[in-house]
Amino acid sequence: MAESAKTTTDHNTIKKWAEARDGKPASVKGTGNGDEAGLLRINFPGYAEDNLEDITWEEFFEKFEEKKLAFLYQDEKDSRFSKLVRREK
C-alpha cells in the first residue's frame, strides 16, 4: 500500500529527500528576475531538464522561505512525487 503524502518545511528533510533520489535544486528557465530564482523545482536526471536551470540550495531555500512554501512529498523509496505548495496558516 502506498504511503500518503507528507508535508514539511524543514530544509534538511527536503535536501536529504531530494539528494537520495539524485534531485538537485532548480528553477524554471525564464521565470527568475536577474539574480533571483524563479519558480522552484527539484530537478531529477532525465525529467524536464531542458526547462530547468540548476541553482544552489541556498538560493532554493531563500526563495522557499520568501514565498512561504511547504514541500509535499511521498517518502517511498523509489517515489519522486513532490510538489511545492503554500504553507497552511
Side-chain angles (χ1 to χ4, degrees):
M1 180 189 299
E3 289 185 38
S4 60
K6 299 177 181 182
T7 305
T8 187
T9 58
D10 182 75
H11 296 188
N12 289 329
T13 300
I14 297 166
K15 184 177 178 182
K16 184 177 176 181
W17 182 92
E19 289 179 344
R21 292 156 180 81
D22 295 325
K24 296 179 182 176
S27 66
V28 177
K29 287 182 181 175
T31 62
N33 183 9
D35 291 337
E36 181 183 327
L39 295 174
L40 300 177
R41 298 287 185 269
I42 300 295
N43 187 6
F44 299 104
Y47 295 88
E49 291 176 284
D50 292 343
N51 297 329
L52 302 176
E53 54 190 339
D54 290 341
I55 59 174
T56 66
W57 280 114
E58 183 178 307
E59 291 171 303
F60 182 92
F61 288 123
E62 183 177 305
K63 186 73 165 185
F64 181 84
E65 292 301 328
E66 177 185 311
K67 297 296 183 182
K68 298 188 184 330
L69 298 174
F71 187 71
L72 180 69
Y73 67 106
Q74 200 168 37
D75 206 20
E76 292 178 7
K77 181 182 177 187
D78 295 328
S79 177
R80 287 190 175 98
F81 170 78
S82 65
K83 185 176 182 180
L84 294 164
V85 297
R86 293 195 185 271
R87 292 181 190 172
E88 297 288 323
K89 292 185 178 185

